[in-house]
Amino acid sequence: MTGVTAAASESGRSDGAVTDVDVVVVGAGFAGIYSLYHLRDLGFTVQVIETGDGVGGTWYWNRYPGARCDVPSLEYSYGFSNELQQEWEWTEIMPAREEIEEYLNHVVDRFDLRRDIKFGTRVTAATFDEATARWLVETDAGDRFSAPFCVMATGCLSAPTMPEVEGRDSFEGRVLQTSLWPREGVDFTGLRVGLIGTGSSGVQATPEIAREAEHLYVFQRTATYSFPAYRGMMDPELQKSFKANPGDFRRRQRRAFAGIAGFGGALGPAQPPERKILETPWEEQLEVLDELGFWAARAWGDVFVDLEANEAGAELFREMIRRTIDDPEVAEALSPRGYPIGCKRLVFGVDYYEAFNRDNVTLVDLRKGAIESITPTGIRTAQGDYEVDVVIFATGFDAMTGALNRIDIRGRDGQLLRDVWAGGARTLLGLQSFGFPNLFIITGPGSPSVLSNMVVGIEQHVEWIGDCLAYLRDHGLRSIEPTLAAQDDWVEHVNQVSEGTMYTAPTCNSWYLGANIPGKPRVFLPYVGGLPAYIERADAVASAGYEGFTLA
Ligand code: NA7
């Protein structure tokens, strides 16, 4: 079905050539790659459009030193092809960015997918034409694709944000962003570096940059709970036992709350233990601290479900910081206070706290005086000036909705998705939004997405979409869209299950809630009910002939 039609196209536009395909997929990370493979396998013609010059999404862009996945490699990999699982050898338990990028390039070449990916091209607009029930997708390179279906595989953390700091453009040194890191890498030898942000990116980069730079200043607005990341080379026996029965392992993943089967035990116990921190005397808590270090805070069943218990766990965590950091003032500045453990996505680092014992690392606690401006020679705060050669922004993303809202997505009646979502994203199952027929979102807001193993969530979504498109084709139908009532019910359910959890505590300000973006409505974006319950619901909807959706 792929072909170039000139001038008057089915999309109704007449100003240039339009390429017709069955499905346009936006993005070539884990989600876009599998969408291409799976939908092509089902007989659809697919065009993938990717901004980067290579595949990988998150693992293509975030090239900062120390970038690493916090889910074990055997868990964080595709299960759709047994041949692929058998032939690929992971070298580390927790894969580094480079290894994941290599893996995804292997997948793309192995299944001959590259020929249908257009690289170095950003999608700027997607417009639905009701008369033809087709999407017109336009790019910054002037391409125009027309397709009945559009799959947004745009990622949950792919729209970087850089705060509007006065004077940023006046800086005479180099400005870097962790999520847009230069491909050739950066040599910090002999340089004074200012790193802003202490989320996962800042925490992973800190010890790496500290080893190289003349001096590293870490500008911290909120002290983080950083747990020691598991590091280790892959045990060949473990990999062998995985390969002996990967099907069983993949089934267990989909039955696990967060899509992680716990294979090899690298993430500790899968279920929270029975004991309660609120019923444990401090001396006994300290014994657990002696044994488990920072992980002690997670060794009680009540820490993640009860705010008082959570604060007890946080105090134990702070005790471990005091034990780790030489300077008591620095230890106090690094101690997270005022928000629960787990309300923000857990951060995993290697030697993060230890880096602050180095002579060439200074913590700048912004609670004692915020950043006021960037000067030509450094960073000015209310507590003084810091002269640096490089400023690095590790300041995060407009999560879950940012990448979609940066595209002019116009559905029925010309309505813009970002306007419709101005008060908060609304979807049915995180897959589709009312008013936007035939537009699918992979791991969209309202699905387990970032609260589960992304690869498992992605595979499940791609397969659901594939089944749906095949169903429409088999039944001679051309469009699908949620009903408003079903969408409202789902949004209410998503909100309901998040109520009373750590995630929505009044003291919590996370990107899950959009709280890191000025003006973004405070709405809890992912679905916290767990992957198994979600899959059960999504499967039931499909089995009932796509109940809650309008098919035409
Ligand atoms: P995060 O987790 O959103 O972290 C961003 C960090 O940047 C965080 O410490 C922020 O402080 C800080 N930040 C943001 N804006 C500013 C300004 N204006 N001044 C000072 N500090 C600021 O992004 P990451 O890239 O680290 O990680 C994103 C996800 O990737 C992570 O959760 C994993 O899923 C992988 P704040 O806490 O808002 O006070």
Side-chain angles (χ1 to χ4, degrees), residues 62 70 157 163 165 178 196-203 219-222 344-347 366 371 394-397 509 511 516:
N62 290 268
D70 54 18
L157 293 159
V165 186
T178 45
I196 304 172
T198 53
S200 292
S201 305
V203 164
F219 293 81
Q220 170 197 271
R221 188 165 70 178
T222 305
K344 295 187 180 209
R345 194 174 190 288
L346 291 181
V347 169
L366 297 174
I371 293 175
T395 43
F397 302 86
N509 289 306
W511 55 254
N516 62 327

Side-chain angles (χ1 to χ4, degrees), residues 358-374:
R358 296 174 65 111
D359 293 337
N360 72 332
V361 177
T362 302
L363 179 73
V364 183
D365 182 2
L366 297 174
R367 289 171 296 189
K368 295 182 183 140
I371 293 175
E372 290 180 336
S373 63
I374 308 276

Side-chain angles (χ1 to χ4, degrees), residues 28-29 33 50 53-57 59-60 101 104-105 108 114 117 119:
I33 291 170
E50 164 58 49
D53 289 328
V55 296
W59 307 105
Y60 171 87
E101 190 190 25
L104 290 174
N105 274 285
V108 164
R114 214 174 280 277
I117 307 174
F119 292 103

Side-chain angles (χ1 to χ4, degrees), residues 5 9-12 18-24 132 134-137 144-149:
T5 57
S9 73
E10 283 181 74
S11 64
V18 175
T19 304
D20 288 344
V21 288
D22 296 333
V23 190
V24 169
T132 57
R134 292 179 79 94
W135 283 90
L136 177 72
V137 179
R144 304 171 77 223
F145 295 96
S146 169
F149 302 101

Side-chain angles (χ1 to χ4, degrees), residues 19-261:
T19 304
D20 288 344
V21 288
D22 296 333
V23 190
V24 169
V25 173
V26 186
F30 267 98
I33 291 170
Y34 184 41
S35 297
L36 171 54
Y37 171 88
H38 187 60
L39 298 177
R40 188 199 273 175
D41 200 41
L42 289 172
F44 296 102
T45 57
V46 183
Q47 175 66 56
V48 179
I49 304 165
E50 164 58 49
T51 307
D53 289 328
V55 296
T58 287
W59 307 105
Y60 171 87
W61 293 104
N62 290 268
R63 292 171 180 269
Y64 61 84
R68 183 174 287 275
C69 187
D70 54 18
V71 174
S73 51
L74 292 173
E75 304 255 13
Y76 196 82
S77 50
Y78 290 126
F80 68 79
S81 157
N82 191 39
E83 292 75 21
L84 173 66
Q85 296 188 112
Q86 294 302 333
E87 71 199 14
W88 183 261
E89 293 281 318
W90 290 102
T91 66
E92 288 192 82
I93 299 269
M94 298 290 183
R97 185 204 71 76
E98 292 79 357
E99 191 168 16
I100 303 174
E101 190 190 25
E102 206 182 310
Y103 168 74
L104 290 174
N105 274 285
H106 168 77
V107 173
V108 164
D109 291 330
R110 190 197 189 288
F111 297 108
D112 187 25
L113 302 177
R114 214 174 280 277
R115 64 183 157 91
D116 286 331
I117 307 174
K118 187 164 198 296
F119 292 103
T121 307
R122 180 180 289 278
V123 170
T124 51
T127 311
F128 186 66
D129 178 29
E130 275 180 75
T132 57
R134 292 179 79 94
W135 283 90
L136 177 72
V137 179
E138 295 168 279
T139 76
D140 61 356
D143 311 289
R144 304 171 77 223
F145 295 96
S146 169
F149 302 101
C150 187
V151 174
M152 306 308 282
T154 39
C156 295
L157 293 159
S158 51
T161 54
M162 200 195 257
E164 290 299 326
V165 186
E166 194 192 311
R168 200 176 64 200
D169 297 338
S170 72
F171 185 59
E172 286 166 0
R174 193 166 183 193
V175 176
L176 296 169
Q177 204 162 356
T178 45
S179 47
L180 297 170
W181 204 258
R183 286 192 85 158
E184 66 279 10
V186 182
D187 182 3
F188 292 106
T189 311
L191 298 178
R192 299 160 303 169
V193 180
L195 172 66
I196 304 172
T198 53
S200 292
S201 305
V203 164
Q204 288 187 332
T206 290
E208 301 291 329
I209 297 172
R211 268 191 277 279
E212 219 173 84
E214 182 187 304
H215 202 94
L216 173 64
Y217 298 92
V218 178
F219 293 81
Q220 170 197 271
R221 188 165 70 178
T222 305
T224 192
Y225 296 96
S226 174
F227 291 86
Y230 186 92
R231 283 290 297 276
M233 299 315 285
M234 178 61 72
D235 172 358
E237 286 308 311
L238 185 74
Q239 188 143 227
K240 220 163 111 187
S241 66
F242 160 75
K243 289 185 181 194
N245 197 351
D248 175 55
F249 168 73
R250 298 298 177 197
R251 276 187 292 280
R252 277 194 286 136
Q253 282 189 311
R254 289 194 189 197
R255 285 198 299 266
F257 192 84
I260 295 175

Side-chain angles (χ1 to χ4, degrees), residues 378-502:
I379 299 173
R380 175 161 297 162
T381 72
Q383 52 187 303
D385 283 8
Y386 297 86
E387 301 279 297
V388 293
D389 305 298
V390 184
V391 175
I392 303 172
F393 287 89
T395 43
F397 302 86
D398 184 353
M400 306 211 55
T401 55
L404 294 163
N405 286 343
R406 287 177 188 190
I407 301 171
D408 285 334
I409 301 175
R410 288 187 187 276
R412 272 191 295 104
D413 307 320
Q415 53 189 338
L416 260 179
L417 185 69
R418 65 171 160 271
D419 289 347
V420 175
W421 284 6
R426 299 185 76 81
T427 69
L428 177 52
L429 293 166
L431 280 158
Q432 278 207 303
S433 192
F434 173 72
F436 298 83
N438 295 2
L439 181 84
F440 294 91
I441 308 162
I442 298 191
T443 60
S447 71
S449 57
V450 291
L451 295 181
S452 67
N453 180 348
M454 287 303 298
V455 184
V456 177
I458 284 168
E459 285 196 318
Q460 184 255 334
H461 264 190
V462 171
E463 286 159 19
W464 193 96
I465 293 167
D467 289 348
C468 176
L469 298 198
Y471 181 93
L472 296 178
R473 182 177 58 190
D474 295 348
H475 289 77
L477 296 162
R478 64 173 199 169
S479 81
I480 179 165
E481 175 191 356
T483 66
L484 189 56
Q487 177 172 288
D488 286 347
D489 285 351
W490 181 251
V491 171
E492 197 187 319
H493 174 63
V494 170
N495 289 334
Q496 212 173 31
V497 286
S498 76
E499 271 167 31
T501 65
M502 298 303 132

